[in-house]
Amino acid sequence: MQTKYIFITGGVVSGLGKGIAGASIGALLESRGLTVSLMKLDPYINVDAGTMNPFQHGEVFVTEDGAETDLDLGHYERYTNAVLTRKHNFTTGQIYDSVIRKERAGKYLGRTIQVVPHIIDEIKDKITESSQNVDVSIVEIGGTVGDIESLPFMEAIRQFRHDCGRENGIFIHLTLIVYFENGEMKTKPTQHSVGKLREIGIQPDILICRTKYQMPQKIKNKISLFTNVEEDAVINGMDVASVYEVPLMFNEEGLDEKIVEYLHMWTGRPKLQPWADTVDCFKNPVGEVTIAFVGKYVEHRDSYESLNEALAHGGIANRVRVNLRYINSEELGGTHGLDLLQGVHGILVAPGFGERGTDGKIEAVQYARVQKIPFLGICLGLQMAVIEFARNVAKIPNAGSGEFTPNNKDNVIDLMPEQAGQEGTGGSMRLGGYPAVLKKGTLIASVYDSEKIVERHRHRYEVMNDFVPRLEKAGLIISGRHPNRDLVETIELAPEEHPWFIACQYHPELKSKPLKPHPLFASFITAAYQYRGSEKEAEESL
Ligand code: GLN
């Protein structure tokens, strides 16, 4: 099978949404019956995204095989059926690392190792390797044309297309149309950006122009004239109310039709009803709920990209709008007390690292438990829930986590003995998909409608089994465990104690999709909506 390639670059400014554009193109091609894979090439030098600050870089997305990758892989998986791996995200750091290793191993037989051809060839090989057995491979280059550091990647895709030919590979460039308040649309930055691409030998085939308002035909003509891109390949990439509208908008603009025409592919008409239904659920909800999102990086929404999305999917599954009230856990407790949690219909305690803000998270758990407000704790959120329960219900007042109080004998959360001595960042975490067995008859088993699940992990610390009998005796239900290593995966409270209280050590948000909302988020939002209903009834009967 001849794999076809789509190379996506960006120009003018960063942050135009190349990731969503690539993901949407993937969705459109799948809707025409094609198989796709998607790949992101990041020009920065870090070997992977694992050690990067979430404030700066956004969420670290974890693949099934345990790679810590760029958050765009999250968009790719959410919009398509592709299951991505460590092969689908490469950085300059990894490319150099693998070339240098080969050089040390004598693989180049003493030749001088250079950017051209060795680095470029390595990039080309990685692209080929990640594109096996699919109809179309979508390859996105991070950064903006003109960046010094992205040059080797640009040269690699230029050569790649030269080798495979226009009918097997096309270039899509994303740019920005500048809009002035007096109504003028400015195309010059787009022209310059395409000029910059041509300087390095890349003539784009399709332009997606981010624009606030639809470009009139005469603007498209002008762009076409000055960039050598066919008029009907100049696509409006308009601002839309929901990111899930992007595939539909691109389709209306004729983007997928143009892609298959250029790539000489004959496919069926796209079947886009599921996307239309999803957008309809999102835009026309029958009700709404407010969820407290308690975390540490809440000012930086990108840091919780998958979680924000998964909560929205939970809303879509229920046709309910989910309003998120972001709460910096450091602001909980203290002078505001727990006022910030007033009036919410569900409380989510987010994943995180480091001690800052953990007291507030523990207070949020306690509030949810005592007030019987639907609660979902994820990763650090589970650890906080276990500590809260240990302190306030199981009467272990010093209960803590080895992450914050290493020498405390009452650490209910700690490193496993085999992890001791593995200090430091990078590589010491439980990463990727692991199985869990759910206990029959528990809330979580009914939520999944299954007793065997596989979910993705990214953490170091675990619930200490030594404390489990005391916690269980006090009423905590250990509802899910890793089958072989006997690690706690999920906890909950009994239905007599609480209507919906679940926490998990893994990250369910990484597997939720708009067309397939994750059952935990769907059920959490159902519970929040019911809670809201019962609150209303109580108010009305007063
Ligand atoms: N910091 C905790 C750990 O390493 C939780 C990590 C997380 O929430 N992803 O175990």
Side-chain angles (χ1 to χ4, degrees):
M1 166 166 65
Q2 164 70 55
T3 300
K4 309 272 180 171
Y5 292 86
I6 297 174
F7 299 103
I8 303 184
T9 55
V12 184
V13 290
S14 60
L16 289 180
K18 272 191 307 231
I20 304 250
S24 300
I25 291 170
L28 285 173
L29 296 177
E30 279 192 348
S31 81
R32 286 175 167 260
L34 300 169
T35 54
V36 299
S37 84
L38 300 104
M39 164 181 212
K40 171 97 191 265
L41 304 178
D42 277 311
Y44 53 74
I45 313 235
N46 306 57
V47 170
D48 64 35
T51 52
M52 294 173 86
N53 183 342
F55 285 112
Q56 240 186 46
H57 191 69
E59 167 185 86
V60 174
F61 186 80
V62 181
T63 57
E64 199 64 17
D65 68 342
E68 298 180 281
T69 68
D70 185 79
L71 56 72
D72 277 336
L73 271 79
H75 296 308
Y76 302 163
E77 281 201 350
R78 276 191 285 278
Y79 281 63
T80 70
N81 294 311
V83 178
L84 305 175
T85 65
R86 61 182 68 252
K87 285 195 177 145
H88 297 95
N89 186 200
F90 276 98
T91 67
T92 296
Q94 276 174 52
I95 299 287
Y96 273 80
D97 186 53
S98 86
V99 169
I100 291 169
R101 275 169 205 272
K102 284 187 193 164
E103 185 272 333
R104 293 288 86 185
K107 297 247 167 73
Y108 297 111
L109 307 173
R111 286 192 293 271
T112 309
I113 311 307
Q114 295 178 294
V115 173
V116 183
H118 302 98
I119 295 295
I120 307 295
D121 284 350
E122 189 70 24
I123 298 171
K124 287 161 72 182
D125 288 350
K126 302 280 191 216
I127 295 175
T128 310
E129 254 174 62
S130 77
S131 309
Q132 299 301 309
N133 305 319
V134 289
D135 296 318
V136 184
S137 172
I138 300 168
V139 182
E140 180 193 332
I141 313 293
T144 309
V145 60
D147 294 346
I148 293 174
E149 56 187 14
S150 63
L151 271 178
F153 292 104
M154 297 292 190
E155 174 60 10
I157 61 172
R158 186 195 68 75
Q159 290 187 13
F160 205 106
R161 147 72 178 264
H162 173 80
D163 299 343
C164 72
R166 162 86 184 270
E167 70 278 15
N168 293 318
I170 55 170
F171 294 116
I172 298 185
H173 189 58
L174 230 82
T175 73
L176 177 71
I177 300 300
V178 177
Y179 179 76
F180 283 170
E181 284 311 319
N182 65 6
E184 263 186 284
M185 287 187 178
K186 295 292 191 188
T187 65
K188 196 70 85 186
T190 294
Q191 296 177 38
H192 281 306
S193 167
V194 172
K196 197 84 204 150
L197 260 185
R198 286 210 304 246
E199 248 171 54
I200 48 184
I202 294 177
Q203 164 64 48
D205 301 291
I206 294 175
L207 292 177
I208 298 176
C209 304
R210 287 302 310 274
T211 166
K212 200 164 175 186
Y213 302 104
Q214 181 122 17
M215 293 181 284
Q217 194 57 40
K218 74 173 200 312
I219 294 279
K220 284 191 173 185
N221 296 354
K222 187 171 170 190
I223 294 172
S224 165
L225 180 68
F226 291 114
T227 60
N228 266 332
V229 172
E230 286 180 49
E231 243 168 68
D232 59 353
V234 179
I235 305 289
N236 273 296
M238 276 189 313
D239 295 348
V240 276
S242 141
V243 286
Y244 304 131
E245 270 178 78
V246 178
L248 298 171
M249 177 199 38
F250 280 173
N251 171 259
E252 270 166 33
E253 281 286 304
L255 176 60
D256 47 319
E257 195 60 44
K258 203 73 206 165
I259 290 174
V260 295
E261 176 198 320
Y262 282 164
L263 289 175
H264 293 219
M265 300 182 96
W266 284 267
T267 72
R269 307 265 332 130
K271 296 195 174 72
L272 289 168
Q273 198 54 43
W275 285 99
D277 293 344
T278 299
V279 170
D280 184 54
C281 281
F282 186 83
K283 285 191 155 173
N284 303 303
V286 294
E288 55 184 318
V289 291
T290 300
I291 303 292
F293 187 120
V294 182
K296 174 164 133 186
Y297 317 107
V298 287
E299 295 81 19
H300 298 261
R301 302 289 144 84
D302 275 7
S303 328
Y304 300 111
E305 186 75 23
S306 298
L307 205 41
N308 297 332
E309 296 288 307
L311 286 158
H313 305 161
I316 289 169
N318 289 280
R319 232 180 215 278
V320 164
R321 170 171 301 134
V322 178
N323 303 312
L324 297 181
R325 185 186 297 172
Y326 290 96
I327 299 174
N328 181 341
S329 54
E330 281 184 283
E331 284 167 21
L332 278 179
T335 42
H336 290 300
L338 294 169
D339 290 355
L340 295 167
L341 294 171
Q342 284 293 322
V344 300
H345 312 114
I347 296 180
L348 176 124
V349 174
F353 292 84
E355 186 170 16
R356 193 150 56 80
T358 49
D359 289 343
K361 288 184 178 171
I362 292 172
E363 294 212 37
V365 179
Q366 184 178 16
Y367 184 81
R369 182 176 57 76
V370 174
Q371 303 292 326
K372 302 194 192 303
I373 302 171
F375 170 82
L376 179 57
I378 296 180
C379 207
L380 184 65
L382 171 135
Q383 299 174 357
M384 297 292 103
V386 171
I387 293 173
E388 192 280 322
F389 190 88
R391 286 184 189 169
N392 300 325
V393 186
K395 302 293 172 222
I396 310 174
N398 292 326
S401 164
E403 186 173 358
F404 322 125
T405 49
N407 299 317
N408 167 13
K409 70 173 182 25
D410 286 337
N411 279 338
V412 289
I413 308 292
D414 212 341
L415 295 175
M416 297 297 280
E418 64 267 27
Q419 288 171 297
Q422 278 188 14
E423 292 276 312
T425 49
S428 57
M429 282 197 265
R430 182 144 80 106
L431 287 168
Y434 284 88
V437 175
L438 306 178
K439 209 185 252 170
K440 245 195 186 73
T442 55
L443 173 61
I444 197 160
S446 75
V447 166
Y448 277 90
D449 195 18
S450 167
E451 280 150 35
K452 280 200 183 128
I453 59 170
V454 177
E455 292 280 9
R456 294 189 198 163
H457 291 248
R458 180 171 188 254
H459 63 105
R460 282 191 191 89
Y461 293 83
E462 306 281 352
V463 176
M464 291 291 99
N465 280 322
D466 291 352
F467 288 93
V468 164
R470 280 168 80 183
L471 297 171
E472 284 183 322
K473 197 152 168 255
L476 189 72
I477 298 172
I478 308 292
S479 47
R481 281 188 172 277
H482 183 288
N484 311 322
R485 295 181 50 205
D486 212 21
L487 302 168
V488 172
E489 292 282 0
T490 68
I491 62 162
E492 64 187 59
L493 294 177
E496 315 80 76
E497 300 295 330
H498 199 287
W500 206 101
F501 187 105
I502 290 182
C504 49
Q505 187 60 78
Y506 52 78
H507 293 264
E509 70 275 20
L510 301 179
K511 283 194 173 177
S512 188
K513 302 182 185 218
L515 303 189
K516 233 191 276 163
H518 191 290
L520 264 181
F521 290 94
S523 174
F524 177 52
I525 299 302
T526 309
Y529 195 51
Q530 280 167 358
Y531 176 84
R532 185 193 163 128
S534 63
E535 280 239 291
K536 266 204 170 146
E537 260 173 40
E539 254 170 45
E540 278 160 18
S541 68
L542 279 180

